[in-house]
Amino acid sequence: MNSPLPPSGSPLQHYVSTAPFDPYSVEAMTAGQAKVFQASQTRLMWWKFKKHRLALASGIFLLALYLMIVIAEFLAPYNLHTRNMDFIHAPPQRVRLFHEGQLVGPFVYGREMKLDMDTLRRVYSDNRNDVQPLRFFCSGDPYRFWGLFDASLHLVCPAKDGEMFLLGTDRLGRDVLSRIIYGARISLTIGLIGIAISFTLGIVIGGLAGYHGGYLDLFVQRIIEVLQSIPSIPLWMALAAIMPVSWSPILVYLGITVILGLLDWTGLARAVRSKLLALREEDYVLAAQLMGAKSSRIIGRHLVPGFMSHLIASATITIPSMILGETALSFLGLGLRPPITSWGILLTEARSVSVIAFYPWLLFPMIPVILVILAFNFLGDGLRDAADPYK
């Protein structure tokens, strides 16, 4: 039964609850609806990222690679500088499980080498009577872990007085697989350090140009146009060539990293500038200005997060471009120099057509380069979609 209306002219009675406001009790929701409605932004991004199976697999692959470079010495079967002079340009060995119908476990057959007097090439053949079981978590070539302490523990080793070249050897008898594992430490980290430099420059310079505009924007745009008009590889070669030959390999590595970072900020700066030109007219930017916020705070706390998905996609594209840049410079002989080892330096062994024809396994370092670049691109697609989970 409806309650009677208050007499005419009497004030309406109001009731204010003193209980805390619970936004989730406004309407009844199922357990599934409550899970989505109450989820944080980070959890929504993770749910959407998991739906992109290729991006998730790429992320796991890249994470495994970056964890691998931490223990590269342990994973590599041989030391980086170990030479096997009896097995120069030896082809890859096949890992087998069965010998004459019996299960032996992982093993390789021993190798015999004969010199072809017509072509003066070394010809290797398997000795079926020499079964060499592989050893795991074994003591092998000594190494200095991260230059800190001496160790000799390896994940897998050849048999005692045996050999194991799963990806073959180079012209000095060095194991290609071990050198690829060691080279990953340089090739993968050079992209991370370079992206830190280029992102800092791109966001700061592009942000200031887009937010303030005027003569600063004109000046920055002219610098970007000049840098982008110069062909990349000749510019890399010129900058790499000016580094003194007396520098240590570590200084050369840092120099190449800085060069790649200084040359890759232009595209990001232009993208940041165009975004800020549109976002600076929003009402919340005016409110922050009236409250006395500095330009750095407005750009960093209010404007940049507004297009974080674009920045994530740019980062995942820039890292492989820097890896390719280092590979190209080292392949041309103008980048890193031995004793530092990277995938680009390993590919210098395959610059000759005759070498590729006779020893095609020297092109194996190209495979991780391709896989890493594809993985970063797939990961970028997934992160870009996940950064805006409401679309």
Side-chain angles (χ1 to χ4, degrees):
M1 183 175 179
N2 295 332
S3 59
L5 295 176
S8 178
S10 61
L12 293 175
Q13 296 182 358
H14 297 279
Y15 172 74
V16 178
S17 175
T18 59
F21 175 68
D22 185 7
Y24 305 119
S25 63
V26 174
E27 59 182 11
M29 293 183 294
T30 64
Q33 291 173 334
K35 181 180 178 181
V36 176
F37 184 69
Q38 300 177 15
S40 63
Q41 177 82 2
T42 304
R43 178 163 296 186
L44 290 174
M45 292 172 61
W46 170 243
W47 287 343
K48 189 166 185 179
F49 178 74
K50 286 197 302 182
K51 294 181 180 179
H52 200 305
R53 298 298 178 87
L54 194 56
L56 182 61
S58 299
I60 296 174
F61 171 72
L62 291 173
L63 178 61
L65 282 183
Y66 279 98
L67 292 177
M68 179 197 75
I69 66 177
V70 178
I71 54 173
E73 295 90 347
F74 167 72
L75 296 177
Y78 291 92
N79 188 289
L80 176 61
H81 306 294
T82 297
R83 298 183 180 183
N84 302 275
M85 302 308 295
D86 294 332
F87 299 95
I88 294 176
H89 279 151
Q93 290 177 284
R94 177 183 171 186
V95 178
R96 305 170 186 268
L97 297 176
F98 296 90
H99 174 64
E100 296 181 352
Q102 296 181 351
L103 178 62
V104 178
F107 73 93
V108 295
Y109 287 123
R111 282 285 175 83
E112 294 180 348
M113 189 272 291
K114 294 182 180 179
L115 187 63
D116 189 340
M117 301 307 296
D118 294 332
T119 61
L120 297 180
R121 287 182 56 199
R122 294 178 174 85
V123 179
Y124 294 90
S125 59
D126 290 337
N127 182 0
R128 296 280 177 166
N129 297 321
D130 185 10
V131 177
Q132 299 181 0
L134 304 184
R135 298 179 294 144
F136 295 91
F137 297 98
C138 47
S139 178
D141 283 354
Y143 57 83
R144 192 161 181 83
F145 187 77
W146 281 90
L148 300 177
F149 57 88
D150 295 325
S152 60
L153 181 65
H154 294 266
L155 175 63
V156 59
C157 305
K160 291 289 187 180
D161 300 325
E163 64 278 343
M164 180 190 67
F165 309 119
L166 302 184
L167 297 183
T169 62
D170 61 8
R171 59 185 178 87
L172 297 178
R174 297 172 296 190
D175 181 44
V176 174
L177 174 60
S178 300
R179 291 175 63 77
I180 289 177
I181 295 175
Y182 275 95
R185 178 173 291 174
I186 299 298
S187 294
L188 292 178
T189 55
I190 202 168
L192 294 181
I193 300 174
I195 196 66
I197 297 174
S198 78
F199 251 53
T200 301
L201 292 176
I203 293 177
V204 171
I205 298 177
L208 292 176
Y211 181 73
H212 292 288
Y215 290 107
L216 178 60
D217 183 28
L218 292 175
F219 178 72
V220 170
Q221 291 308 303
R222 300 297 81 77
I223 293 179
I224 291 177
E225 291 169 358
V226 170
L227 290 177
Q228 290 185 340
S229 65
I230 303 176
S232 299
I233 293 182
L235 182 59
W236 288 347
M237 294 172 61
L239 293 176
I242 65 176
M243 289 189 296
V245 294
S246 59
W247 279 11
S248 66
I250 296 298
L251 288 178
V252 174
Y253 166 72
L254 294 176
I256 294 295
T257 304
V258 171
I259 288 173
L260 294 175
L262 291 177
L263 296 181
D264 276 343
W265 64 270
T266 55
L268 178 63
R270 179 160 283 180
V272 171
R273 174 229 177 217
S274 62
K275 292 288 184 179
L276 293 194
L277 283 175
L279 294 178
R280 70 176 184 177
E281 305 299 332
E282 298 291 336
D283 292 339
Y284 65 88
V285 176
L286 178 60
Q289 292 173 343
L290 295 176
M291 294 179 66
K294 297 181 180 179
S295 300
S296 58
R297 179 178 179 83
I298 295 175
I299 295 173
R301 295 294 298 273
H302 302 292
L303 296 180
V304 171
F307 56 98
M308 187 58 67
S309 60
H310 179 81
L311 296 179
I312 293 173
S314 298
T316 53
I317 293 174
T318 304
I319 291 177
S321 70
M322 291 187 177
I323 294 175
L324 282 177
E326 180 276 324
T327 302
L329 284 176
S330 299
F331 179 76
L332 295 172
L334 295 171
L336 302 175
R337 301 190 298 267
I340 284 185
T341 300
S342 69
W343 293 337
I345 291 178
L346 296 180
L347 287 174
T348 59
E349 298 279 344
R351 282 188 292 188
S352 172
V353 176
S354 61
V355 171
I356 297 175
F358 293 124
Y359 317 115
W361 56 87
L362 295 180
L363 287 175
F364 280 142
M366 179 178 60
I367 297 177
V369 175
I370 296 174
L371 293 179
V372 167
I373 291 172
L374 289 176
F376 269 114
N377 286 324
F378 293 143
L379 178 64
D381 290 339
L383 290 177
R384 180 187 55 202
D385 296 339
D388 193 359
Y390 298 104
K391 285 187 177 180

